[in-house]
Structure formats: structure tokens, C-alpha cells
Amino acid sequence: MHLPIRVFVFEVEEKVAKRRGIPKLGAGVFFNATYEPIGREAITDWEGCLSVPFLGGEVPRYKTLRLRGLDHEGEAVDIEVEDFTARIFQHEIDHTDGHVYLDRMPDLTTLGYTIIL
């Protein structure tokens, strides 16, 4: 049986939040999350992913967006997020749609190794 459920789990650790100057989000889960941009402003920043280990590159993402979905208790969530927090959710929702950050890179010459072996 197929159930149309899209889920992702996230955690923003304190050290990451401090380095990025964002609130510590802790851990959470979203079911069937979607987003829509608020405005057209995008920010290009470096991204990496455990799905594509040891690589990273510059990815444009919307600066501000409205995030909708269900939380771990099945309650509706409808929030606005911006900056690095918005980047996190766009990145994770892309995964639920079958995309990785490489699909969003307009210039693959920015792709590089994050670790030297």
C-alpha cells in the first residue's frame, strides 16, 4: 500500500546556530511540508549534504519563505522563516521531492571537496 507521506527530521545544533547567528531550533519533524517564497530575494551560500558526502557548492535559496506542514503531533504548522533557517527547510523539502542541492546549483564550477584525504 502506498501512502503519500513526505517526512523529514531536522536539528540545528547550538554551535551551528551560534556560528550562523540564528535561533537554536533544536530537533523536530515535519510531515508533508511545503513552502512558498515571500518575495523574490535569494541568497547564494555554500551547501553540503550527507547524501553527497565530501562535496559542497554555492546554492541560491529564497531568503524568506512561508513553511506549511504538520508537526510530530499532526498539528498544522504555518510559519515564516528566513536566512539560514529558510535554507535548511528548502534543502530538506527538496529531498522529499527527490532533489539534492546539486540540482539547484546554477554554476557547478563552485562545486568542491570539503575534505582532503
Side-chain angles (χ1 to χ4, degrees):
M1 176 169 65
H2 170 74
L3 296 175
I5 297 173
R6 299 163 50 236
V7 60
F8 69 87
V9 177
F10 67 91
E11 180 177 17
V12 177
E13 297 174 340
E14 188 172 349
K15 66 181 179 180
V16 173
K18 192 173 193 176
R19 186 174 71 239
R20 290 284 185 163
I22 63 172
K24 180 183 180 296
L25 293 177
V29 61
F30 273 100
F31 293 92
N32 295 337
T34 61
Y35 69 86
E36 60 187 70
I38 297 174
R40 299 177 66 129
E41 184 178 359
I43 297 173
T44 298
D45 200 356
W46 183 90
E47 277 187 39
C49 183
L50 295 174
S51 297
V52 188
F54 310 120
L55 292 174
E58 292 183 353
V59 181
R61 299 281 188 183
Y62 292 110
K63 175 180 172 44
T64 308
L65 54 94
R66 176 173 301 285
L67 176 69
R68 292 186 175 103
L70 302 174
D71 67 13
H72 68 284
E73 295 179 343
E75 297 294 321
V77 175
D78 184 345
I79 58 173
E80 289 183 18
V81 293
E82 63 182 9
D83 299 320
F84 189 67
T85 306
R87 177 171 297 277
I88 292 168
F89 290 124
Q90 290 170 84
H91 178 106
E92 297 305 331
I93 291 170
D94 273 357
H95 281 301
T96 67
D97 292 333
H99 300 287
V100 294
Y101 73 94
L102 297 165
D103 300 325
R104 302 282 183 218
M105 289 180 65
D107 181 4
L108 290 175
T109 65
T110 68
L111 186 65
Y113 288 103
T114 59
I115 188 170
I116 299 174
L117 300 175

